[in-house]
Amino acid sequence: MTPDQTAAAVIAGRKPTEDAMLAYWQATDRGLRTKAETVAVLAALSAAPSDDTMMRSFVRYIRDTYPPVALPAAREAVNIVGTGGGPSTFNISTTSAFVVAAAGGKVLKSGSSAYSSSVGSGDILNALGLARSASDDFTDAMLAETGLAFASPQRYAPICKRLAIAAMPLNFKVIGRFVNGLGPLICPYQMRAHVIGVSTPRLFEQIHSIAKTLGIPSLLVHSKLGVDEFLSIGPNRWLWAAELQANHLDPVDMGLERSCLNDLQGGDLDTNIEIMTAVLKGQGNRACTETVALNAGVALYAGGVASDLRTGTRLALDCLKSGAPFDKLEQAQAFARSEVKKLERVA
């Protein structure tokens, strides 16, 4: 099929072959498709139920064309990121990242501005003075010194920016839902593992299939309450990409307490930062604290710091009681400020 035929098929709701889609993404990446067509294709892909072939073609094109960069400090690092969707909560994975680093792990976190919630990880990081640099040297140095770094949106494959620009002035969170949902699989850096939160059972199976087929080291997590992270207040599922049988986790079996989803609800930027700060200082409510510990625990397990989920969660809970994660936040902020001053002196 030609790119014209492929685009027409997608817009009409038909499913081209994976090779046809790969050729189409290549043409789009080279700027050979019109803005109107790009918007129509994105809208069609985002409006229709997710299709394995379409999803895999996009991830495969990006990973083959722009292979993930191997930073020296990231060999044992993990990523903690969700696909979006489901009920809105405070920024659980971002909060968990500081706990993992404080407990001896390494986190190179990807993420963006808000997609399914009112405040995304990018919004939180910018507000905290942790704006992400597009320099790999900066990212590697921050990760080596603090155990924590954040992937800059500018480091993602150029096709992502091209698609976002083509969609303007439309809301990319809506028109680009297809791309946003695959964000965890197109992280620009290599690392030990990606802990990927998925909000629906169907997407859980699809992300698992893509990660397994393309050899992306991933541990998928899903709350049966429909949230793209582990929740301490209800049952969960988790599965390594290389394995076939999902594992079930009931937090009650780990001594955690049942609660309601409202206890994890976020709000605007200031509210979410307030919740996050309280948790990192060891002053958060029980549901927020235990949920963060559970997600930090799975990352500590995926990163090889803990032997299993239970051990990782207990390590995270002990770390939270000490207030050390807030110290890690302050260390990361200090590093970011020092690097900004260096750049200002050079300029």
Side-chain angles (χ1 to χ4, degrees):
M1 297 177 73
T2 66
D4 285 338
Q5 293 170 325
T6 301
V10 172
I11 294 167
R14 299 192 301 273
K15 298 177 182 177
T17 65
E18 186 167 352
D19 285 344
M21 286 305 303
L22 287 169
Y24 183 77
W25 294 128
Q26 182 181 61
T28 301
D29 198 14
R30 292 179 177 177
L32 302 178
R33 313 311 300 168
T34 67
K35 173 184 173 70
E37 179 190 279
T38 301
V39 171
V41 167
L42 274 177
L45 290 171
S46 297
S50 298
D51 176 79
D52 294 28
T53 298
M54 305 290 193
M55 295 165 69
R56 186 173 59 247
S57 72
F58 186 71
V59 176
R60 181 179 159 195
Y61 174 76
I62 288 180
R63 291 181 66 85
D64 287 350
T65 309
Y66 306 98
V69 175
L71 300 179
R75 281 190 291 267
E76 297 302 315
V78 297
N79 182 15
I80 315 174
V81 62
T83 57
S88 179
T89 64
F90 78 101
N91 301 87
I92 295 170
S93 64
T94 304
T95 307
S96 301
F98 293 98
V99 181
V100 174
K106 283 190 173 184
V107 177
L108 175 45
K109 179 170 167 43
S110 64
S112 62
S113 294
Y115 166 46
S116 62
S117 60
S118 59
V119 181
S121 64
D123 305 311
I124 289 279
L125 295 172
N126 288 335
L128 292 173
L130 293 170
R132 296 150 290 172
S133 170
S135 162
D136 288 343
D137 289 340
F138 173 93
T139 301
D140 189 56
M142 184 171 185
L143 185 59
E145 182 168 322
T146 71
L148 191 67
F150 306 94
S152 167
Q154 286 75 37
R155 284 296 290 112
Y156 280 78
I159 188 174
C160 296
K161 182 178 180 180
R162 185 178 293 279
L163 292 173
I165 292 174
M168 294 174 63
L170 299 174
N171 188 340
F172 196 71
K173 297 173 191 176
V174 177
I175 207 76
R177 182 179 61 83
F178 170 82
V179 175
N180 283 328
L182 295 173
L185 295 175
I186 57 174
C187 177
Y189 297 112
Q190 285 185 27
M191 55 194 88
R192 179 184 175 113
H194 302 267
V195 177
I196 302 176
V198 188
S199 61
T200 69
R202 171 61 177 155
L203 188 57
F204 185 94
E205 301 301 333
Q206 290 176 312
I207 296 293
H208 171 259
S209 175
I210 295 170
K212 186 175 189 299
T213 300
L214 299 183
I216 303 172
S218 307
L219 194 161
L220 280 68
V221 303
H222 164 67
S223 164
K224 294 186 179 181
L225 293 177
V227 177
D228 63 340
E229 282 148 331
F230 270 161
L231 298 186
S232 67
I233 62 174
N236 306 276
R237 295 171 67 208
W238 63 278
L239 176 63
W240 282 104
E243 298 178 351
L244 297 175
Q245 189 66 41
N247 303 277
H248 296 271
L249 171 66
D250 190 331
V252 171
D253 296 335
M254 300 175 66
L256 306 184
E257 190 175 86
R258 284 265 193 259
S259 184
C260 63
L261 196 54
N262 285 342
D263 290 335
L264 301 173
Q265 188 172 359
D268 60 16
L269 179 61
D270 289 339
T271 298
N272 282 20
I273 289 177
E274 183 179 346
I275 295 171
M276 175 182 175
T277 301
V279 172
L280 295 180
K281 289 182 174 180
Q283 300 167 1
N285 72 43
R286 180 161 182 171
C288 291
T289 297
E290 291 187 344
T291 289
V292 166
L294 197 55
N295 285 277
V298 71
L300 289 166
Y301 165 55
V305 177
S307 58
D308 53 41
L309 291 180
R310 181 183 295 270
T311 303
T313 301
R314 288 298 160 194
L315 178 59
L317 282 170
D318 290 342
C319 188
L320 281 163
K321 289 177 184 176
S322 73
F326 185 73
D327 295 337
K328 182 58 64 175
L329 166 60
E330 292 188 316
Q331 182 191 12
Q333 289 174 315
F335 180 90
R337 286 194 299 269
S338 68
E339 290 300 308
V340 168
K341 289 180 180 178
K342 288 179 184 177
L343 292 174
E344 290 175 346
R345 285 197 294 270
V346 171

